[in-house]
Amino acid sequence: MGKLIGRRRAASDHFEPDEDVDPKAQRNLRGHLEHIDYTAYAANKKLLTAAIGALDGERVQKLAVAAALARTRWVVAALTIAEDGATPTREQIAGLTHLRSTYDELASAYDGLRRMVERGYIGYAPGAD
């Protein structure tokens, strides 16, 4: 059902009719899939809007800054550990792992928030600059 890209198959986001199924059955299936997609959209919009509330530039900026700060702490810690040229200790690696995980989670939350706005699940007002 997906298109071949390089050596991997990419999943399609669109309905692709099966030539072996009659057109009426294809239209029915398409209608069912659109209903499923709308149901998921409506649920996401309702729940996310209720949980997140008004989203503005200031709130998004705070999340972006938190992710950037976490990345900075992670990289600075790694550079500090590497400066003496010794093999890092278990504790140092555990600390780096925690810092990287913190960054990864905040960056994923930022990306997820951006997708929520892109898909129309939550509204966004940039606010005054």
Side-chain angles (χ1 to χ4, degrees):
M1 280 227 162
K3 293 171 182 57
L4 191 60
I5 298 176
R7 294 184 179 183
R8 296 180 302 153
R9 289 181 84 57
S12 175
D13 287 341
H14 304 287
F15 176 75
E16 295 179 14
D18 184 347
E19 293 179 14
D20 295 334
V21 178
D22 83 284
K24 183 178 179 184
Q26 288 179 19
R27 281 191 301 278
N28 286 339
L29 178 57
R30 184 179 298 121
H32 295 315
L33 294 173
E34 286 175 1
H35 184 263
I36 289 168
D37 289 344
Y38 180 77
T39 300
Y41 165 81
N44 275 289
K45 184 171 178 74
K46 179 181 179 180
L47 295 172
L48 289 166
T49 298
I52 294 173
L55 185 62
D56 59 22
E58 184 177 346
R59 290 181 77 195
V60 173
Q61 181 181 12
K62 286 178 181 179
L63 180 55
V65 168
L69 182 57
R71 174 189 280 164
T72 301
R73 288 179 177 155
W74 169 45
V75 171
V76 167
L79 290 170
T80 301
I81 290 169
E83 281 197 14
D84 68 6
T87 301
T89 66
R90 243 178 238 197
E91 292 78 19
Q92 288 173 318
I93 295 301
L96 279 179
T97 301
H98 171 72
L99 292 171
R100 180 180 38 98
S101 176
T102 300
Y103 162 68
D104 286 344
E105 290 302 324
L106 288 168
S108 292
Y110 177 86
D111 289 342
L113 185 63
R114 188 177 184 287
R115 272 191 307 282
M116 290 173 212
V117 171
E118 180 181 28
R119 292 178 179 170
Y121 298 154
I122 53 177
Y124 174 76
D129 287 326

